[in-house]
Structure formats: structure tokens, C-alpha cells
Amino acid sequence: MDMTKSIMAAAGLTVMVPSAASAQAATVTAAPGKGVTVDAGDAFSMRLRGRIQLRGAADLPEGSPAQSVVSVGTARLTFDGHLYFPALEYALQAALGDRDFREATRSPVLDAFVVWRAHRDAHVRVGQFYVPFDRLRTIRDGALQLADRARPVTELALDRDVGLEVSSETLGGDRSPVGYHIGVFGGGGVHNVTPRDAGGLLVARLELRP
């Protein structure tokens, strides 16, 4: 090994040899509400989470027989973590429930993106994710206080799209109430495989959370 290092040094090359202290075995942990996490230190981590929502509905029309239905309305499977170094994160979310699918849906993929937290004031995200149009729509389904979103929120908001975004939730300081989002998207929404007129979607959003 010493002779090899001498030859490489003479050629002007540097060899990085991992030491026993820097090597870290992967650990697996699990907790309610946290999912299952595989952690191999700075090099890699992956968290697996799942969520289901059971729905029951009844129709009691006057003068007609009652009808009811019970189903798995929402079923989600999420993978997230980091690659190579903690600032490079990834996420993949698949929708498996009946109400998660839309008409002519070709794929169960909802979220599929990579985030590089290059700086506190500039996070770069690329892939498929929520268009940062309004705050009510970008709150995750699992964080809602009620079972469903209000109908106007669903009808008047933008959904997910494929694009690139630069953003920060704490612009100017770790406790700052100011945030921003600047993004450019394809404009075709999710699962868009049909050619259309050339165009796109530009979004700029400034937040103040006093």
C-alpha cells in the first residue's frame, strides 16, 4: 500500500482511502408515525412510510332504499431520505387508493423530486411536486385538520407539475418569517405524455408569516 501511494503521489494523483473510523454500518429504526428508517450516516438514508384513509358514505333518499359504500379512499407509500451528503435529499410518493387516481391516469407516482439545500436562502428542487401557488393546497393531506380539503381549494388551485424551483422558508435568517418560491414548470400537470402547444408555467410567491 505504501509503494502504491508513492507511485500515485509521484504521478500527481491523490488516493482517498476510507479509514475504519469513517466507515459506518447502516442502522434500521422504526417508530409509530415515523415509519422505518435505514441510516448509513452522511452517505445515505431512506425512510419508508405508509398512510391509509378508510371512507364510509351513506345515501338516505326519501322514499328510496338506503345505499352505502365503504372503501379505502386513500393509500400512500412514501420513500425519502438523502444521497451522498445530507444536503442532497430525495422523495418518491406513490398513490395506491381508488380516490387517488384521476381520469386517464397512467402512473401512480405523485411526488418524484430531488432537493439540494445549497444554502439557507436557496434550496433547489427539480422533479414532480406541488406548484407553490397557494398555501392551502401545498399543505400535505396527512396534515389536514379535516378529512378532505374544501372544494374551492381543490377547484381553484394548481396541483403538481414537473419543473425546477428555487426557494427558502427562512429568507435572511433561521427565525425569519419571510419565505419565497420561484419556479418554472412544464404547465401540463402530472402524467403528461400527450404533445401540446409549446409553453410553460412561471410561478413567483412571497410569504410573510408574522
Side-chain angles (χ1 to χ4, degrees):
M1 177 63 71
D2 292 339
M3 183 178 295
T4 303
K5 287 183 179 180
S6 299
I7 295 174
M8 299 295 285
L13 301 176
T14 303
V15 181
M16 299 298 294
V17 180
S19 63
S22 64
Q24 179 177 342
T27 60
V28 179
T29 58
K34 302 294 185 180
V36 179
T37 302
V38 179
D39 191 346
D42 290 349
F44 173 78
S45 74
M46 182 183 71
R47 179 175 58 171
L48 170 62
R49 294 177 296 164
R51 176 169 61 88
I52 63 172
Q53 183 187 71
L54 305 180
R55 297 181 62 88
D59 185 11
L60 307 174
E62 185 177 357
S64 300
Q67 296 181 328
S68 64
V69 59
V70 179
S71 64
V72 178
T74 297
R76 302 285 176 87
L77 193 62
T78 303
F79 299 86
D80 58 22
H82 68 264
L83 292 169
Y84 302 115
F85 50 92
L88 184 61
E89 302 175 354
Y90 68 91
L92 174 65
Q93 181 179 196
L96 308 176
D98 180 70
R99 295 180 73 250
D100 291 327
F101 286 86
R102 301 174 185 174
E103 187 176 353
T105 296
R106 297 173 177 265
S107 169
V109 175
L110 287 183
D111 294 320
F113 59 84
V114 175
V115 180
W116 178 33
R117 301 189 181 277
H119 188 271
R120 178 201 61 208
D121 297 337
H123 300 167
V124 182
R125 181 189 318 217
V126 61
Q128 179 171 291
F129 51 92
Y130 272 127
V131 175
F133 178 71
D134 68 313
R135 190 166 182 82
L136 290 176
R137 188 66 180 93
T138 54
I139 295 176
R140 293 290 179 178
D141 295 346
L144 297 176
Q145 293 180 328
L146 301 178
D148 294 310
R149 303 182 193 276
R151 182 59 60 87
V153 173
T154 304
E155 295 295 332
L156 302 178
L158 298 176
D159 197 52
R160 293 173 173 87
D161 206 336
V162 179
L164 182 146
E165 173 196 70
V166 180
S167 66
S168 174
E169 295 293 332
T170 54
L171 181 63
D174 293 337
R175 299 177 62 86
S176 170
V178 179
Y180 77 94
H181 297 262
I182 300 175
V184 55
F185 299 87
V190 297
H191 316 314
N192 178 38
V193 295
T194 303
R196 61 186 183 88
D197 294 340
L201 173 65
L202 299 176
V203 177
R205 169 177 158 186
L206 182 64
E207 298 178 355
L208 177 61
R209 304 180 302 275

